[in-house]
């Protein structure tokens, strides 16, 4: 088994639940009765823990508030996915370290602790490439208003040495709740830059 390494060590990536909380608060503030009934108590509980609303939180904070954090993260996945034993997980941004995962995902991909593991090096590299491409999509869209998708889909082979069969899984990466911040305000994209051509 090989661990899916961080996409790129140059990314200063931190975990924050603020983007998700902001989206849920917006739904409640739009006076949608269903959203308010479903999420208001959860938001109240989260807002009662100021450290959870910091720009970045660490593993210790997650463990201290495990129940409320899991309740918040569970809102991302519809009941239909959960009831059908779907495989899904939430990681630190563009990292292999998970903070929330379904039972089936844990069984297949979290063999040692909370880091995602796959059976061969090629799959590891392919997943890292897909994640890196999505990371650049997020940067281009949120900082430069480029029309780039915040999701990415790819198919990966997972050989099973015990029965000599290969299983193919579709991987869906979603960065809708990822924010980026520019640390060099003077940087400008080159004239004539085309993200579609450059990132292919």
């Amino acid at each position: 088994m090989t661990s899916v390494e961080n996409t790129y060590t140059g990314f200063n990536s931190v975990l924050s639940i603020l983007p998700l909380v902001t989206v849920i608060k917006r739904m409640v503030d739009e006076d949608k009765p269903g959203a308010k009934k479903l999420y208001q108590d959860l938001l109240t509980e989260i807002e009662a823990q100021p450290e959870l609303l910091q720009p970045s939180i660490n593993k210790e904070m997650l463990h201290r508030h495990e129940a409320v954090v899991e309740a918040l993260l569970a809102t991302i996945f519809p009941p239909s996915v959960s009831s059908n034993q779907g495989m899904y997980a939430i990681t630190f941004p563009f990292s292999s370290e998970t903070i929330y995962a379904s039972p089936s995902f844990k069984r297949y991909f979290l063999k040692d602790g909370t880091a995602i593991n796959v059976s061969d090096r090629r799959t590891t590299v392919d997943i890292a490439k897909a994640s890196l491409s999505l990371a650049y999509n997020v940067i281009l869209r949120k900082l430069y208003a480029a029309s780039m998708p915040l999701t990415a889909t790819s198919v990966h082979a997972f050989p099973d040495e015990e029965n000599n069969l290969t299983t193919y899984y579709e991987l869906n990466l979603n960065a809708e709740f990822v924010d980026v911040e520019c640390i060099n305000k003077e940087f400008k994209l080159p004239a004539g830059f085309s993200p579609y051509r450059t990132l292919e």
Side-chain angles (χ1 to χ4, degrees), residues 171-185:
L171 173 66
N172 296 297
L173 300 175
N174 189 313
E176 290 182 83
F177 299 111
V178 175
D179 280 336
V180 293
E181 181 178 340
C182 182
I183 59 176
N184 182 1
K185 304 298 183 181

Side-chain angles (χ1 to χ4, degrees), residues 15-16 21 36 122 148 188:
L15 177 68
S16 174
V21 171
K36 188 170 185 178
R122 178 176 178 178
M148 305 298 292
K188 294 182 179 180

Side-chain angles (χ1 to χ4, degrees), residues 52 60-72 100:
L52 287 177
E60 288 72 23
M61 292 182 190
L62 291 177
H63 289 311
R64 281 200 299 272
H65 306 285
E66 184 175 6
V68 66
V69 170
E70 285 207 0
L72 175 67
Y100 181 82

